[in-house]
Amino acid sequence: MNDSDQLLRAYIAVQIATNLSGPIAEGDITYGLRLLRSAGGDDLALNKDLAELGWSHRAQELLDRKETCRANEYSYEAVVYRFEKAKKGPSDYEERAKRK
């Protein structure tokens, strides 16, 4: 396996991980394997862009929550921000629903 193939696998894994809203399921694995089987040279750049877009979206959400926390520490977004900061990771839909 060459470096390009390893990068492609890493980008596909990151892409799938950034779109998860809960624990990984068999469907997520099947989807990832289908992506790997159909991947070509151009897919490396596309998957890299998709992974970077997913991570930048997550980073922007975190920054928005941090700013909201500074403005109003009792807001829903502030509660989620403090929870994610304590957890040291993103929260999923169910965790955010509990805080609401």
Side-chain angles (χ1 to χ4, degrees):
M1 183 179 332
N2 62 31
D3 289 342
S4 179
D5 291 340
Q6 289 178 347
L7 282 174
L8 179 60
R9 287 179 180 217
Y11 289 132
I12 289 173
V14 168
Q15 176 191 2
I16 292 169
T18 59
N19 291 320
L20 290 177
S21 60
I24 193 163
E26 184 159 340
D28 300 319
I29 295 169
T30 304
Y31 173 72
L33 290 173
R34 269 190 282 136
L35 279 176
L36 281 174
R37 284 188 205 110
S38 67
D42 293 336
D43 288 336
L44 177 60
L46 176 62
N47 280 300
K48 177 183 176 188
D49 292 342
L50 288 172
E52 288 174 353
L53 180 64
W55 281 113
S56 66
H57 179 69
R58 296 279 185 180
Q60 186 61 47
E61 284 180 353
L62 179 64
L63 291 173
D64 290 344
R65 286 188 181 122
K66 184 176 184 178
E67 185 61 32
T68 303
C69 186
R70 287 182 181 161
N72 180 1
E73 65 181 85
Y74 300 107
S75 69
Y76 165 72
E77 291 295 321
V79 170
V80 172
Y81 170 75
R82 286 193 301 273
F83 172 73
E84 289 178 340
K85 187 175 178 182
K87 182 182 172 186
K88 296 184 180 179
S91 59
D92 61 22
Y93 176 77
E94 288 130 7
E95 291 171 333
R96 288 191 301 272
K98 286 179 189 176
R99 269 83 202 137
K100 205 165 201 176

